[in-house]
Amino acid sequence: MKKHPIALLMISFVLLTTAFAPTAAAQKLSSTEGKMSIKFPAEYQASEEGPTKKFTATVGDQTFFAAYTLHEVELEDLMELAELSLEEFNKILEGNILEKSNWKVKKNTGLKANIHLIKQDGKIQYHVILVGNIQYQVVVISPTESFDQKSADKFVKSFKVKK
């Protein structure tokens, strides 16, 4: 069998350059209107539905989502509203809430939950908090077997509420 050193060299080059290629560049979102910031692990896409601003980035098969909704009036009973948000989110996705606990951001308390998507065998980490007249959601979703907990934690921890 005749060896082709140039072909082997080219294959080696391709393998090495793709193995050490940089991953998608992280991108920080900072919103004056939403009084928040968060660092996405890749370039994010923005969309708007009425008073809600949504931001999404995908790395592999894991999706990172952040949103804020500006309400026209100051909200009351924020924990009850956070609970309602979690229940509605779970109902729409037909998920199973595996665990739920408080989520602290500065002096504010909201909810966080791990949800299993039964039909798609997916995992969701859902976070919701209401501050003043703004509702925030921070979500990470992926197939269960490929959920990257370290990336999810880093994303959620990067979320900041501004004054």
Side-chain angles (χ1 to χ4, degrees), residues 99-154:
E99 61 180 306
K100 174 177 68 171
S101 60
N102 287 348
W103 180 43
K104 296 282 283 180
V105 178
K106 288 191 177 181
K107 295 179 183 179
N108 306 291
T109 304
L111 291 174
K112 63 181 177 179
N114 285 325
I115 302 171
H116 179 241
L117 293 177
I118 299 162
K119 292 180 182 177
Q120 300 89 352
D121 191 26
K123 179 178 178 177
I124 297 176
Q125 276 192 300
Y126 179 81
H127 300 76
V128 61
I129 195 162
L130 295 101
V131 180
N133 67 329
I134 305 175
Q135 175 182 346
Y136 302 97
Q137 293 175 302
V138 178
V139 182
V140 180
I141 184 169
S142 176
T144 302
E145 73 278 351
S146 61
F147 194 90
D148 182 347
Q149 190 64 55
K150 185 177 175 182
S151 293
D153 291 344
K154 186 176 179 179

Side-chain angles (χ1 to χ4, degrees), residues 40-60:
F40 283 87
E43 185 176 342
Y44 63 83
Q45 307 300 315
S47 64
E48 192 172 330
E49 282 183 33
T52 302
K53 312 295 188 287
K54 299 178 181 183
F55 309 91
T56 308
T58 302
V59 176

